[in-house]
Amino acid sequence: MSALTDPKGAIAELTRPEGWVLGVSVAFLLFLLAALLTGALGPTYFLFLVGLAGMYALLSFGLNAQWGFTGLINFSVAAFFGIGAYGSALMTASGSPIAGGFNPLVGLAVALVVALALALLIGIPTLRLRADYLAIASLGLAEVMRLIVLNERWLTNGSAGVRGIPGFFKGWPVLSTFPEAMPGLRLEIVPGSPIFLEASFWQALLNVLLVLAFAGGTYLVLRRAHRSPWGRVLRTIRSDEDLARALGKNTYSFKMQSFVLGSLIMALAGVFYTHLNLYVGPGDLDPITTFYAWVAVILGGSGSNRGALFGGVVIVTIREGTRFLNDVALPIDPAPLRLLLIGVVIVAVMRYRPQGILPPQRELIWPSAVDGGGAPETPDSGVRERKGGGGDE
Amino acid sequence: MTVLGYLANGLVFSSIIVLGSIGLSLVYSIADFANFAHGDTMTIGAYAALVTFGAVGGLGGAVLGLPFGFFFALVVGIAAAAVVAVATEKLIYEPLDIDSIGLLITSIGIAFIYRALIQIRFGSDFTRFDIRAQRPIESLVPYGVRVTLHDVAIVGSAVVLVVGLHVLLQYTDLGRKMRAMADNPDLARVSGIRTKRVKLWTWVIGAGLAGAGGVFLGLFNQLAPRMGFNLLLVIFAAVILGGIGSVYGAMAGGFLIGMINQLTPFFSTVVEALPIWPGWLAAALESLISIEYANAIAFVIMVAVLLVRPNGIAGEAAT
């Protein structure tokens, strides 16, 4: 990484992509706002998209905790996501082939426990080996999960999927009736195109608040964890596992912790998705979900939580943009187009910017070390950086 | 069907898996990364053959129920897969300045690009080669073996290709260089082997075999844009069972995994017949050992191999 050899250049270089990302995000927001105000984009659908972006960001946080922190290649993001989605759907839905009808919090707990068990099951044989074994085995795991969901009709309802899922706040004191209790509003900002805000809008708003809570909480936890001594060990393992072992760290145990943490976050994303979409089917376990998360993480910058957040938004743009393109301009089937875009983005990032758009640099340093002008606390800063760059920071 | 019948089917499917797993193992040991685009290279071979066969037609006579045009299409399929793989190596992999993990991730992107382009061009539906389906060979039916002349052609061609590869690896200059490079790339380079050229030849051979496997898979089942990606898990299982980096291990692994895959219905009848106690275990085994889970069984074998003997039947150290 150039940050180690040339901190001045790295900072100058750092601000440019950050500026770009900021500029593009602001422009995109303004575009969406304009579409909202003119009524071209329904406010309920807009909030659904925001929820979806939050969901993908959460998924990317999970993958980032594995790949970005520790360098674990997990190609079964879709499987853990599916465990979360199906776990909560089967526990809460009225149309569930088993149990069903429980409080969504029970579904959340069940989903997380099952995801934990599965993560241990796949981690035990592969985490002792070279990184590519986990990649191969996890790709297989995702396929097996998909087969099970498709074939075990008594458990998952097979290809028909699970319907009749309640919102996440069902059974809560105030929030369960909040959407119905709110008045229907009629706004007319641009004359001639009124915007209606009804129960479905308030429901979507609740979902967005929920995903903000999930993603915000996860973000804070991950940021704290990444800077902590625990996170430093993970970063050491990522760059040189033998070194970490030579320093007396039980790398297998650390890798397992990171893998489990990431898998739980992915399952959390699945739980949210269930209550956002109110339907889950085997199509949600398609490998493409895994690679949406991968694109988000490597595009944003491996190890960077901000980057994962940005990547989540990009993914929703790819997903919904191809659908929009198909409806409006080009009659190309959106499915292969998405696949093509994902492939091109992966190859382009690896070719031209393997560290991603927002690589984690200042994120990893305690703010006090930067503001106070003290020596950087990160162990991966070399002597040269401390001598050359200490005064600038 | 009898055991013999399942074994015969297993032999046919094994030939396809062996062709795929040898290529994957070669690339794994010489280019030094797990190539996730290998399955889609098979798809490219199959579709190139489909287009060629549609264009040239039967070309007169036929061998083993397959028109001459099909063999021409097979060669074109092999060539197309090899050309695409070499172009990818030249344009994408070679200029990259990343480690083998980065290459692995890039190869997933490449796999998606291949598949997306095929799907945009040909649609996502199943297709078949325009060849009349054969009846099973009459003289073998009394033994419960229902194989067609096409199946014999698949096994025969696979044997020719595998023997050819064995001769190439053991008795030619290129083969010796390839083995040297697989053993120790730095040492090979120091001793004057042009490693870049050997790597290109590795791609040609690996992808060519994959292309042949893809054509045969299309003949054995059908063609679909996902056919290669779906087979990838089984091929990886074969490579890990054989031991990563060992071509002969990949042959053995591919043979075993292909056999087990096609013997699944036989195993399920065995499980039904066995007195397994307690009852719920019997029920669970019966529902899990079925054709739907043939690929999942390969996965379970793979995980078991990783637990017990991570370097496989014939591989080097894995950690």
Side-chain angles (χ1 to χ4, degrees):
Chain A
M1 213 193 287
S2 61
L4 295 181
T5 50
D6 180 15
K8 266 188 207 165
I11 287 169
E13 188 191 338
L14 185 83
T15 49
R16 199 160 41 102
E18 275 182 341
W20 268 102
V21 167
L22 199 68
V24 169
S25 310
V26 167
F28 190 59
L29 269 180
L30 286 177
F31 168 73
L32 284 181
L33 206 65
L36 257 176
L37 291 181
T38 55
L41 185 68
T44 310
Y45 183 59
F46 171 70
L47 286 184
F48 175 77
L49 290 188
V50 173
L52 213 56
M55 199 273 299
Y56 278 114
L58 205 53
L59 212 54
S60 313
F61 285 154
L63 184 61
N64 201 25
Q66 298 174 340
W67 161 248
F69 289 11
T70 325
L72 305 174
I73 307 182
N74 181 1
F75 283 158
S76 58
V77 177
F80 290 104
F81 171 78
I83 291 281
Y86 265 94
S88 65
L90 291 176
M91 295 314 286
T92 59
S94 58
S96 163
I98 56 165
F102 284 102
N103 189 299
L105 285 178
V106 178
L108 177 70
V110 168
L112 291 184
V113 168
V114 177
L116 173 76
L118 193 71
L120 291 175
L121 211 62
I122 193 70
I124 287 169
T126 54
L127 287 180
R128 282 184 202 282
L129 308 171
R130 235 166 36 194
D132 38 359
Y133 284 86
L134 177 62
I136 297 166
S138 58
L139 188 80
L141 175 77
E143 180 64 14
V144 170
M145 278 302 305
R146 203 176 62 85
L147 284 178
I148 289 177
V149 165
L150 210 53
N151 289 312
E152 298 301 312
R153 272 187 210 91
W154 60 272
L155 180 67
T156 64
N157 221 7
S159 54
V162 183
R163 290 175 196 282
I165 300 165
F168 188 76
F169 293 106
K170 182 198 161 207
W172 290 42
V174 183
L175 293 173
S176 63
T177 52
F178 172 75
E180 285 76 25
M182 286 301 286
L185 291 180
R186 183 177 184 278
L187 299 177
E188 193 165 324
I189 296 159
V190 178
S193 53
I195 303 167
F196 297 100
L197 304 180
E198 285 155 346
S200 62
F201 171 81
W202 300 113
Q203 182 66 48
L205 191 67
L206 268 187
N207 277 330
V208 167
L209 292 180
L210 177 66
V211 80
L212 284 183
F214 277 177
T218 309
Y219 180 81
L220 292 179
V221 169
L222 285 184
R223 199 181 59 170
R224 182 76 181 78
H226 203 194
R227 284 176 181 166
S228 70
W230 183 76
R232 287 204 289 269
V233 176
L234 296 189
R235 266 141 63 199
T236 313
I237 292 176
R238 183 179 209 271
S239 51
D240 188 343
E241 192 178 339
D242 290 335
L243 176 65
R245 209 179 285 138
L247 292 173
K249 303 296 180 191
N250 181 352
T251 55
Y252 174 65
S253 162
F254 275 98
K255 278 155 83 177
M256 186 64 93
Q257 290 163 19
S258 146
F259 188 68
V260 167
L261 175 69
S263 303
L264 290 182
I265 297 172
M266 290 167 194
L268 190 65
V271 171
F272 171 73
Y273 177 77
T274 296
H275 296 291
L276 173 76
N277 203 29
L278 303 185
Y279 165 77
V280 286
D284 296 323
L285 271 79
D286 198 83
I288 192 126
T289 309
T290 298
F291 296 101
Y292 279 143
W294 268 94
V295 165
V297 169
I298 64 174
L299 182 69
S302 304
S304 158
N305 290 320
R306 286 180 315 173
L309 199 61
F310 171 67
V313 177
V314 172
I315 290 308
V316 173
T317 314
I318 291 183
R319 237 188 84 142
E320 301 299 313
T322 46
R323 179 183 309 183
F324 174 75
L325 205 65
N326 181 42
D327 290 347
V328 178
L330 287 165
I332 294 183
D333 186 11
L337 200 60
R338 280 173 202 160
L339 211 59
L340 185 67
L341 275 176
I342 289 196
V344 168
V345 171
I346 290 179
V347 172
V349 170
M350 296 317 271
R351 175 85 171 79
Y352 297 106
R353 207 174 160 81
Q355 75 274 36
I357 294 179
L358 295 174
Q361 289 168 350
R362 281 189 287 191
E363 262 187 77
L364 297 183
I365 305 169
W366 288 102
S368 60
V370 179
D371 300 335
E377 276 184 51
T378 48
D380 56 355
S381 64
V383 177
R384 204 195 303 178
E385 183 188 6
R386 236 173 277 171
K387 278 183 183 164
D392 301 332
E393 285 176 339
Chain B
M1 260 206 280
T2 60
V3 185
L4 264 177
Y6 288 123
L7 282 175
N9 273 356
L11 190 65
V12 181
F13 190 64
S14 289
S15 322
I16 297 167
I17 300 296
V18 165
L19 288 178
S21 56
I22 290 175
L24 188 61
S25 187
L26 264 183
V27 171
Y28 212 143
S29 61
I30 293 179
D32 196 31
F33 71 98
N35 179 19
F36 278 77
H38 197 73
D40 295 276
T41 311
M42 294 177 82
T43 318
I44 287 179
Y47 273 88
L50 180 76
V51 172
T52 315
F53 187 58
V56 301
L59 294 181
V63 188
L64 291 171
L66 290 170
F68 290 147
F70 180 80
F71 289 98
F72 179 68
L74 171 66
V75 173
V76 172
I78 292 174
V83 166
V84 169
V86 167
T88 312
E89 158 76 8
K90 275 281 167 202
L91 291 175
I92 310 283
Y93 295 135
E94 211 179 84
L96 283 180
D97 183 27
I98 42 178
D99 57 354
S100 65
I101 297 300
L103 285 171
L104 187 161
I105 295 170
T106 313
S107 75
I108 273 275
I110 297 287
F112 284 174
I113 294 177
Y114 288 172
R115 171 145 59 101
L117 291 178
I118 289 175
Q119 206 171 328
I120 288 174
R121 171 70 186 77
F122 295 96
S124 55
D125 292 335
F126 290 104
T127 36
R128 287 183 159 280
F129 289 112
D130 186 19
I131 301 172
R132 211 146 39 89
Q134 290 268 315
R135 296 174 59 78
I137 300 168
E138 289 292 338
S139 55
L140 292 176
V141 171
Y143 304 100
V145 179
R146 301 178 67 85
V147 294
T148 63
L149 281 174
H150 290 170
D151 297 337
V152 175
I154 290 175
V155 176
S157 315
V159 168
V160 168
L161 287 171
V162 168
V163 169
L165 180 77
H166 168 73
V167 170
L168 179 103
L169 281 179
Q170 295 299 329
Y171 303 108
T172 67
D173 209 33
L174 177 65
R176 273 185 219 106
K177 285 177 185 165
M178 282 170 73
R179 283 186 290 143
M181 242 190 104
D183 226 31
N184 188 334
D186 294 330
L187 196 56
R189 231 178 116 164
V190 170
S191 31
I193 295 172
R194 292 188 181 87
T195 48
K196 255 188 192 168
R197 198 178 293 175
V198 176
K199 208 189 249 183
L200 276 186
W201 275 110
T202 308
W203 279 106
V204 169
I205 295 167
L209 290 176
V215 177
F216 292 142
L217 185 66
L219 186 66
F220 185 65
N221 286 328
Q222 299 142 317
L223 293 94
R226 272 193 75 129
M227 60 193 274
F229 193 76
N230 285 346
L231 205 65
L232 192 63
L233 166 61
V234 180
I235 295 176
F236 264 122
V239 169
I240 285 185
L241 176 61
I244 286 176
S246 155
V247 170
Y248 296 97
M251 289 181 197
F255 183 75
L256 281 174
I257 291 282
M259 277 291 180
I260 293 168
N261 190 298
Q262 294 293 307
L263 281 172
T264 309
F266 169 67
F267 291 141
S268 66
T269 50
V270 169
V271 167
E272 271 171 39
L274 281 178
I276 294 175
W277 186 87
W280 59 266
L281 184 66
L285 278 178
E286 268 172 41
S287 75
L288 287 180
I289 301 183
S290 62
I291 303 176
E292 291 88 23
Y293 289 120
N295 288 359
I297 291 170
F299 169 76
V300 172
I301 294 172
M302 180 169 85
V303 169
V305 171
L306 288 181
L307 266 177
V308 181
R309 197 180 151 82
N311 30 353
I313 300 173
E316 316 140 19
T319 41

